[in-house]
Amino acid sequence: MDNVVADLSQDRPRLGRSSTAERVADILRDRISEGFFPPGQRLSEESISEALGVSRNTLREAFRLLGHERLLDHRLNRGVFVRLPSAADVSDLYRVRRVLEGAAVRRTPDETELATIGEAVRDAERAAAKDDWQGVGTANIRFHQALVSLIGSPRIDEAMRQLLAELRLVFHVMENPRAFHEPFVDRNRTLLELIGSGGSDAAAAYLDDYLDHAERLLIHAFEPSR
């Protein structure tokens, strides 16, 4: 926690002169998406408000916003904790992903959009080569965010950011991050190639299988026998 909080101080410039709860929530959501805050971790008001240079009232409002996004839990007389999604949450997250990403892969991207998606693929490949599986997970989140941005809707982009932050919390249940993330490094490359070739039907079919596979792995991690 101390290292993460110290690292948060680097995010102060993002707050600008008017430190709003929404901007603080954006920062904390990004950190959750990057895997810095694991489920069950208690968030210290004192440490985080000091690191970001914001008031506790502002931070509490940010916590409240992230609670509505199902990223944080407020526990009476105990504080604020990072939430662990359930198996039911996983199933619902994947229902939404099939709708959003299924629509995205049927769009025809321009060169700039393809380059953005491709950079996320290359970041994952570089992280995998360094055995950095947290980095692979972060690059995978960026890949899917860039994919959905093909739809061209700021509202959908925002919804996807919230969904992916919640999904990143699910990744923490995987006992072997490499075994989980490694196959999807190649799968992302294949999906990128299908999208780039203009084969929207093939890309959509591949995405369906991709998401089915990922959902099965994550649901299995919640099974009582584990």
Side-chain angles (χ1 to χ4, degrees), residues 117 155 165 167 198:
I117 301 170
R155 289 174 176 82
L167 184 66

Side-chain angles (χ1 to χ4, degrees), residues 159-205:
M160 191 64 176
R161 276 192 294 274
Q162 295 176 11
L163 181 153
L164 289 172
E166 193 175 356
L167 184 66
R168 185 58 187 261
L169 294 178
V170 181
F171 288 174
H172 288 279
V173 307
M174 305 306 292
E175 293 179 357
N176 187 334
R178 177 173 185 167
F180 174 63
H181 287 299
E182 192 167 30
F184 293 98
V185 176
D186 290 336
R187 277 181 169 258
N188 286 354
R189 169 64 66 184
T190 300
L191 184 55
L192 172 64
E193 291 170 353
L194 288 171
I195 294 168
S197 69
S200 60
D201 288 342

Side-chain angles (χ1 to χ4, degrees), residues 101 104-126 139-151 185 187-196 210:
E101 296 186 53
V105 298
R106 294 185 179 278
R107 299 298 178 106
T108 301
D110 59 31
E111 290 185 6
T112 300
E113 291 168 332
L114 269 180
T116 300
I117 301 170
E119 186 58 31
V121 171
R122 288 187 290 275
D123 283 347
E125 291 169 343
R126 286 190 285 264
N140 184 57
I141 293 289
R142 286 180 44 237
F143 172 83
H144 291 284
Q145 184 72 58
L147 201 62
V148 166
S149 71
L150 297 178
I151 297 173
V185 176
R187 277 181 169 258
N188 286 354
R189 169 64 66 184
T190 300
L191 184 55
L192 172 64
E193 291 170 353
L194 288 171
I195 294 168
Y210 177 122

Side-chain angles (χ1 to χ4, degrees), residues 8-209:
L8 279 176
S9 63
Q10 299 176 21
D11 290 316
R12 279 197 190 190
R14 295 176 56 184
L15 296 173
R17 293 184 178 180
S18 55
S19 298
T20 66
E22 289 83 3
R23 290 194 183 107
V24 173
D26 285 344
I27 288 170
L28 295 178
R29 187 188 306 108
D30 286 349
R31 291 298 183 159
I32 289 171
S33 294
E34 293 164 1
F36 285 100
F37 292 118
Q41 179 171 318
R42 183 179 179 278
L43 299 184
S44 165
E45 279 189 13
E46 180 180 3
S47 298
I48 294 176
S49 62
E50 183 178 346
L52 290 175
V54 298
S55 72
R56 291 203 184 187
N57 285 339
T58 296
L59 183 60
R60 287 169 188 156
E61 177 63 13
F63 283 168
R64 187 187 67 80
L65 293 172
L66 295 177
H68 284 306
E69 295 177 18
R70 296 177 293 275
L71 298 176
L72 301 180
D73 278 330
H74 293 72
R75 302 179 189 174
L76 187 62
N77 298 324
R78 295 185 60 195
V80 176
F81 294 79
V82 180
R83 182 173 176 266
L84 174 62
S86 66
D89 290 321
V90 173
S91 295
D92 198 35
L93 287 168
Y94 275 82
R95 289 188 193 101
V96 179
R97 289 189 69 183
R98 288 182 181 91
V99 173
L100 298 184
E101 296 186 53
V105 298
R106 294 185 179 278
R107 299 298 178 106
T108 301
D110 59 31
E111 290 185 6
T112 300
E113 291 168 332
L114 269 180
T116 300
I117 301 170
E119 186 58 31
V121 171
R122 288 187 290 275
D123 283 347
E125 291 169 343
R126 286 190 285 264
K130 297 176 183 177
D131 206 28
D132 174 12
W133 300 103
Q134 178 170 311
V136 171
T138 298
N140 184 57
I141 293 289
R142 286 180 44 237
F143 172 83
H144 291 284
Q145 184 72 58
L147 201 62
V148 166
S149 71
L150 297 178
I151 297 173
S153 165
R155 289 174 176 82
I156 289 176
D157 288 346
E158 181 179 357
M160 191 64 176
R161 276 192 294 274
Q162 295 176 11
L163 181 153
L164 289 172
E166 193 175 356
L167 184 66
R168 185 58 187 261
L169 294 178
V170 181
F171 288 174
H172 288 279
V173 307
M174 305 306 292
E175 293 179 357
N176 187 334
R178 177 173 185 167
F180 174 63
H181 287 299
E182 192 167 30
F184 293 98
V185 176
D186 290 336
R187 277 181 169 258
N188 286 354
R189 169 64 66 184
T190 300
L191 184 55
L192 172 64
E193 291 170 353
L194 288 171
I195 294 168
S197 69
S200 60
D201 288 342
Y206 188 82
L207 176 69
D208 283 342
D209 181 70

